[in-house]
Amino acid sequence: MGTPEFAVETLQALVENEYNVVAVVTQPDKPVGRHQTEMQPSEVKKYAVAHGLPVLQPEKMKDPVFIELLRSYNANLQVVVAFRMLPEVVWAMPAYGTFNVHAALLPQYRGAAPINWAVINGETETGVTTFFLDHDIDTGRIILKKHFPIPDEADVEYVYDGLMHLGAQICLETLEAIIAADGHPVSIPQDNVLDGSPIKNAPKIFKETCQIDWAKSAKQVYDFVRGLSPYPGAWTTLVTPDAKETVLKVYKTRKTGRVAGQESGTLLVDGKSLLVACTDEWLEICELQLAGKKRMQAGDFLNGMKQVADSRVK
């Protein structure tokens, strides 16, 4: 059960290692294009169809017709990667239960966007966890964990790719553990691994979540930008001297270590460099995108914008 590219890696590992994948469950096709007339299948569906696997695409997970069809496949086990919340009638169906591959080190970063939030919060390490599903979101008994370092210069794309491959590995190891234990591998309640640290959650990210708050430290803004790059992209509003406002997406920044001493959001053009004042230091904007334009280097942006030095961001 899965939908995006992240889940394809695990499905491919199951197929290539000759596990008997009796069916694939994914989201319904989505309308795309200017007139929303073309239907786009999920990445998981594309892979499943290409490899002759039956595909189920329920609108509602409690649909009685879907439930009966799913039951007819008589699966011993269900594997979930980047999908949706399942009702008990689904996750409790197989004899060996249902386990999830989650892109974080549970119990930290429960929720829909664990990779983004780990980078946004400046974590130096994350990982993947497999756990048995239960009634609540991402709270089930932990089966296995694998750790993954986050370099200071890494953005979400780097971490996503790394965890995608690591997720496929941990899935295979979890399957072997479940098979060896006849469906009852060693698993640990999440309350047992709490170390007293505050639980950090990973809620779904919306457009308003992605607005940059320049009234934070340069390090916090730096982490925020890379935690949303390249998708969905952090953004800010450029305000020119004539009060015209333009949305800017910011994809890459660089810490300068230079004390700002200016109001947060103040812009400084230093040769071919574009700097923004944060609460403590100047942060250099390296790659950005104007609304309706292509992603570009800051130097190219400055060549085409003559009023930048007298503008600000908010």
Side-chain angles (χ1 to χ4, degrees), residues 11-271:
L11 177 57
Q12 181 176 336
L14 294 175
V15 171
E16 291 182 353
N17 284 274
E18 299 183 345
Y19 286 94
N20 182 24
V21 181
V22 294
V24 171
V25 183
T26 190
Q27 295 277 37
D29 295 358
K30 289 186 175 181
V32 294
R34 171 180 266 179
H35 302 293
Q36 299 284 286
T37 53
E38 182 182 345
M39 300 302 289
Q40 178 73 39
S42 72
E43 294 301 316
V44 163
K45 180 180 178 179
K46 291 177 187 176
Y47 181 90
V49 170
H51 290 80
L53 301 173
V55 177
L56 296 93
Q57 297 177 273
E59 291 281 352
K60 297 180 179 179
M61 298 303 292
K62 292 184 179 180
D63 180 354
V65 175
F66 163 69
I67 297 297
E68 288 310 306
L69 181 57
L70 184 64
R71 185 174 281 116
S72 72
Y73 285 100
N74 198 31
N76 301 100
L77 178 71
Q78 291 173 161
V79 180
V80 179
V81 186
F83 194 45
R84 56 202 281 194
M85 190 171 181
L86 304 181
E88 183 175 3
V89 67
V90 172
W91 58 255
M93 187 181 295
Y96 285 3
T98 300
F99 77 83
N100 188 93
V101 178
H102 186 72
L105 297 173
L106 292 173
Q108 295 294 351
Y109 296 105
R110 295 167 176 157
I115 305 176
N116 297 96
W117 285 109
V119 181
I120 287 171
N121 289 336
E123 303 289 357
T124 58
E125 182 182 63
T126 183
V128 287
T129 304
T130 51
F131 67 96
F132 284 115
L133 265 64
D134 63 13
H135 291 93
D136 298 312
I137 297 175
D138 301 335
T139 59
R141 295 175 66 92
I142 291 172
I143 309 167
L144 292 176
K145 284 186 182 183
K146 279 185 176 291
H147 294 251
F148 183 84
I150 305 177
D152 183 64
E153 70 278 4
D155 60 15
V156 156
E157 186 171 41
Y158 173 90
V159 182
Y160 180 99
D161 289 346
L163 295 186
M164 181 170 66
H165 297 299
L166 200 60
Q169 293 177 28
I170 201 173
C171 175
L172 297 180
E173 292 179 20
T174 301
L175 279 171
E176 289 305 311
I178 291 173
I179 292 168
D182 195 27
H184 300 284
V186 174
S187 58
I188 305 170
Q190 291 192 31
D191 286 346
N192 290 13
V193 298
L194 292 173
D195 59 4
S197 301
I199 294 294
K200 299 173 185 176
N201 293 313
K204 188 174 180 179
I205 289 175
F206 300 94
K207 181 182 178 181
E208 55 269 26
T209 313
C210 303
Q211 183 173 10
I212 299 169
D213 180 3
W214 298 104
K216 289 189 174 182
S217 71
K219 175 66 164 66
Q220 287 175 306
V221 177
Y222 171 81
D223 290 336
F224 186 79
V225 169
R226 67 192 183 99
L228 296 167
S229 180
Y231 182 83
W235 63 273
T236 189
T237 303
L238 176 71
V239 185
T240 56
D242 58 1
K244 182 180 179 182
E245 297 190 354
T246 307
V247 172
L248 283 180
K249 278 198 172 183
V250 181
Y251 292 101
K252 188 175 181 180
T253 62
R254 185 181 69 84
K255 292 173 285 182
T256 66
R258 293 168 54 183
V259 176
Q262 297 284 339
E263 183 183 354
S264 299
T266 300
L267 293 176
L268 172 66
V269 177
D270 185 5

Side-chain angles (χ1 to χ4, degrees), residues 214 222 225 249-256 272-276 283-289 295-302:
W214 298 104
Y222 171 81
V225 169
K249 278 198 172 183
V250 181
Y251 292 101
K252 188 175 181 180
T253 62
R254 185 181 69 84
K255 292 173 285 182
T256 66
K272 290 292 185 180
S273 299
L274 176 61
L275 310 181
V276 186
L283 188 70
E284 181 181 356
I285 295 180
C286 303
E287 294 181 27
L288 68 164
Q289 182 179 17
R295 180 172 170 174
M296 67 182 80
Q297 299 293 317
D300 296 328
F301 168 75
L302 291 173

